[in-house]
Amino acid sequence: MTNQLTVTVTDTPDAATPAPPSGVASASVAPAKQKPHGILYYLGLGLSGGLFMLVLALAAAVIVVPAATGSVPLTVLTSSMEPTLPPGTLIVVRPVETGDIRIGDAITYQIESGKPAVVTHRVISISSSSDGSKTFTTQGDNNGAPDAEPVVSEQVRGKVWYSVPWIGYVNQAVNGENRSWIIPTIAGALFLYAGYMMASAVAGALKKRRAGD
C-alpha cells in the first residue's frame, strides 16, 4: 500500500510587504489645497488693471489721437477760461474751416497774426464782410469784457475738440527735447507692466492646476 502525501498551498502575504497591524487602517495622503486668495489680492489686481487702462487711455488722448488727426495738444496756462478750462487743463485743438465755427465755440487763435503765441477764448459773435471774410469777437469765460481786437480768419488755428483736466502740465513736460526719452520710457514701462501681469496670471493658473492634480 502506497502512502500519498497531500500538500495544500495557500496564498500568503509577500514578506516584503507585511500586512498592517490589526486595528490600523491604511490611508492615502490627499494633496494640500491651495489657500484661496483674499479680497485684498483681487482688489489690488483690479486696481492694477484699472491703472493700466487709465494710463493707456491718457496716452491715447494726449499722443495717439492728436497725431492721427492732425490736432495739436496745448496746455491752458491762465485762468481766463475758468471754470470750464482751468490752468493745467490739456486741450486738443483740431483744425477747422472758419465757416464751421459757431457762436459758443472755444477757438485757439494767434494773439498777433503770424506770430506763434496763441490763446483760447470763446466766440461770442461773428461778423461777415461783403467779400465773404469773417471776423470773430471772443471773450474768456472768466473775463468781464470781450477781447479788444476781433479775430480774423488767418489767426484761427483751430477749435477745441476735447479737454483733459490736470494733464496739461504733463504735456508740457514731454514737449520738445524731453519727448525723445520720456515717451519711449513710458511705453517701455507699460510693456513691462503688461508682461508682468500676463506672466502672473499664467503662473497662478498653472499653480492652481497642479494643486488640483
Side-chain angles (χ1 to χ4, degrees), residues 64-77:
V64 179
V65 174
T69 61
S71 303
V72 179
L74 298 172
T75 301
V76 177
L77 299 176

Side-chain angles (χ1 to χ4, degrees), residues 107-197:
I107 63 171
T108 299
Y109 59 91
Q110 295 172 336
I111 299 174
E112 294 184 39
S113 184
K115 294 187 178 180
V118 295
V119 66
T120 298
H121 281 170
R122 198 172 305 280
V123 176
I124 60 173
S125 69
I126 302 174
S127 301
S128 299
S129 61
S130 57
D131 62 359
S133 62
K134 293 186 176 184
T135 57
F136 306 92
T137 302
T138 57
Q139 181 177 341
D141 290 353
N142 196 36
N143 292 347
D147 299 329
E149 297 294 332
V151 178
V152 299
S153 298
E154 289 76 13
Q155 291 175 265
V156 178
R157 298 276 70 87
K159 182 170 67 173
V160 175
W161 185 13
Y162 62 86
S163 62
V164 184
W166 310 311
I167 305 300
Y169 294 131
V170 177
N171 178 64
Q172 276 194 303
V174 299
N175 276 335
E177 297 179 357
N178 291 331
R179 188 180 292 271
S180 62
W181 65 270
I182 290 179
I183 298 302
T185 300
I186 294 175
L190 289 175
F191 278 116
L192 288 175
Y193 179 77
Y196 169 76
M197 295 297 292

